[in-house]
Structures are given as structure tokens and as C-alpha cells.
Amino acid sequence: AMDGNVYNETTEPEARRPRRLPLGCTLRHLRGWRLPVKVFQTIFSIVAVVCEELVEECITCSGLYFFEFISCSAFLLSLLILYVYCTDLYESLGEAKVQKL
């Protein structure tokens, strides 16, 4: 006799990934000496930006403007690196994309 249930489900439903906060903090990607180095790099670059802003007069300011650009860029890139490596964004992007970045 034919019942309507000829086929049974053979696959298991896909397990849902646990929801994480987008800014969940993790330190597992910057272990050992790498985390303190990145933190000091960020602190020193913002100190350089502040020191540059304290200069009131200069004779030839092109070098000072170049220093401001480099120190500000270093600060922003250091913040980006800390954000990517110390939050769940690393897992969201994947290691291959982070290495390309």
C-alpha cells in the first residue's frame, strides 16, 4: 500500500552559527609581542600628530606637512589593524581577505 511518506528527510538541517556582536573583542589574533607593539605604534603615532600640531611657526613647512601626513596615516592604519585583528571582523572577512588587505 502506498502511504504518502515515501521519502524521508535524509539531510540534517544546517546548524545556525551563533550570533555575535559585530564589535565583539578578541585577542587571539594578536598574541605575544604583536599586541603591545601595535598598541605602542598607535599611541606613538597619535603623539606625533599632537606634537606636530603644537608647532606654531616654521620657515619651510613642507617637511612638517609631510611628517603630519605620515604620522596621521600611521595612526589611522594602526587603528584599522587593531580593529580588524581585535574584533570579530577578522572571522567575518576570513583570513585570506585579511591577508590581502
Side-chain angles (χ1 to χ4, degrees):
M2 293 188 144
D3 4 335
N5 295 335
V6 176
Y7 297 104
N8 292 328
E9 265 189 61
T10 57
T11 57
E12 293 181 19
E14 186 177 331
R16 290 183 144 204
R17 292 174 63 181
R19 290 189 63 154
R20 289 186 260 176
L21 294 174
L23 299 177
C25 187
T26 177
L27 299 178
R28 68 176 163 261
H29 301 294
L30 281 179
R31 292 185 184 163
W33 58 271
R34 291 175 59 191
L35 179 62
V37 167
K38 287 298 173 192
V39 170
F40 283 129
Q41 180 181 4
T42 307
I43 291 170
F44 286 143
S45 59
I46 192 65
V47 167
V49 171
V50 170
C51 288
E52 184 277 329
E53 292 298 327
L54 294 177
V55 174
E56 293 181 10
E57 292 182 28
C58 60
I59 297 171
T60 54
C61 296
S62 59
L64 190 63
Y65 294 145
F66 181 71
F67 178 76
E68 177 183 18
F69 172 75
I70 295 298
S71 58
C72 187
S73 298
F75 174 68
L76 293 176
L77 287 173
S78 298
L79 278 181
L80 177 65
I81 289 171
L82 282 173
Y83 178 76
V84 169
Y85 279 88
C86 293
T87 64
D88 289 332
L89 186 62
Y90 189 93
E91 276 88 15
S92 300
L93 292 175
E95 187 175 351
K97 287 184 181 177
V98 170
Q99 294 303 322
K100 281 184 183 180
L101 179 66

